[in-house]
Amino acid sequence: MTDIGIAENLNKVKHRIAAAGTEAGREAGSVTLVAVSKTWHAGHIRPALDAGHVTFGENRVQEAAGKWPELKADFPDTRLHLIGPLQSNKVGKAVALFNAIETVDRPKLARALAHEMDRTGSRPDCFVQVNTGEELQKAGILPKEADSFIAACRDDFGLPVKGLMCIPPMEEEPSLHFALLAKIAQRNGLSGLSMGMSHDYEIAIEFGATLVRVGTAVFGQRPPAPVRG
Ligand SMILES: *Cc1c(COP(=O)(O)O)cnc(C)c1O
């Protein structure tokens, strides 16, 4: 992928987001593209920054902490979203680095985030991840526990909860999951909806996504994951 290729991909995706928004009767500018740069090194991400893109997604705290400080120094307006599971012992690093944490999914983590936000005064936007497919191996609060967990995040822990996030099961029709997430958000008075990836972001926009997390369609096919010890 050349630098120009990445800028072109960004343009294409942004046009498709705008078109899907118009089609769905959404207000212009109501959908933010989170360009998912996980696994890519700084040199591969830079063309997107040079092209003026500001919002990026990473799924590992350690990896993001390695490559983003240098990029953020050159592009201080950058906004980083954590879209992967967060372990309680990485909460300090995560709160320091990320502008949004999209994967709040259990009381222990909510408590640790609240404690760290109070301690530092940094308050990244929080999204509650919902396991809409009720998949055993997947992170996220179960749909039937979502209302009480959202209430606890807001009222007990005082987290700045902006919305919900989901990753539908691979083999299922995503629209059912997007509709469920939108319904849970609506009944809890939440306006943020992080849903939709490279293969289904236009459908997600139809169902009300305010954030779409798109990696492959912007940066190209990711190299196979390295073996991690
Ligand atoms: C990797 C990832 C994405 C982006 O996936 P693509 O199919 O490459 O667009 C979106 N959301 C999450 C949570 C991811 O881990």
Side-chain angles (χ1 to χ4, degrees):
M1 179 81 39
T2 62
D3 293 9
I4 292 171
I6 288 171
E8 273 175 4
N9 287 348
L10 264 174
N11 258 330
K12 259 186 234 160
V13 171
K14 284 178 180 177
H15 276 109
R16 285 177 60 172
I17 287 172
T22 304
E23 180 85 9
R26 304 278 308 272
E27 207 173 300
S30 62
V31 183
T32 298
L33 168 61
V34 179
V36 176
S37 49
K38 67 187 185 192
T39 76
W40 294 109
H41 56 82
H44 194 83
I45 301 169
R46 217 170 251 283
L49 291 157
D50 285 331
H53 193 69
V54 294
T55 307
F56 293 82
E58 289 283 346
N59 68 335
R60 289 171 183 271
V61 176
Q62 209 64 28
E63 179 188 328
K67 66 190 176 187
W68 275 100
E70 102 178 55
L71 292 169
K72 268 191 152 181
D74 292 345
F75 298 91
D77 294 338
T78 300
R79 293 184 57 83
L80 283 184
H81 288 220
L82 179 63
I83 61 168
L86 177 56
Q87 294 164 275
S88 301
N89 65 355
K90 302 242 172 70
V91 157
K93 250 189 188 147
V95 167
L97 184 64
F98 289 95
N99 303 91
I101 294 176
E102 299 199 12
T103 50
V104 182
D105 67 350
R106 57 193 192 280
K108 188 183 174 201
L109 175 61
R111 185 186 306 277
L113 283 167
H115 182 262
E116 183 65 12
M117 289 187 197
D118 288 346
R119 197 181 69 79
T120 61
S122 289
R123 294 179 69 73
D125 291 346
C126 290
F127 288 74
V128 168
Q129 183 176 355
V130 182
N131 185 357
T132 57
E134 307 192 22
E135 295 172 280
L136 284 176
Q137 77 285 6
K138 202 166 267 174
I141 195 91
L142 291 172
K144 64 174 180 295
E145 293 166 2
D147 293 355
S148 63
F149 181 63
I150 293 162
C153 285
R154 293 203 280 214
D155 306 336
D156 302 345
F157 301 119
L159 293 179
V161 180
K162 305 293 178 183
L164 306 179
M165 178 270 213
C166 77
I167 310 169
M170 290 285 279
E171 57 304 325
E172 285 182 31
E173 172 58 41
S175 55
L176 302 174
H177 297 272
F178 298 155
L180 173 60
L181 196 72
K183 192 172 117 189
I184 298 172
Q186 196 191 13
R187 71 175 180 236
N188 284 281
L190 291 168
S191 57
L193 282 172
S194 174
M195 54 192 199
M197 303 169 37
S198 289
H199 61 284
D200 58 13
Y201 66 90
E202 286 155 303
I203 303 170
I205 290 168
E206 192 185 322
F207 282 86
T210 60
L211 297 170
V212 292
R213 311 178 307 267
V214 179
T216 308
V218 172
F219 293 107
Q221 199 67 47
R222 283 179 292 275
V227 178
R228 293 174 202 267

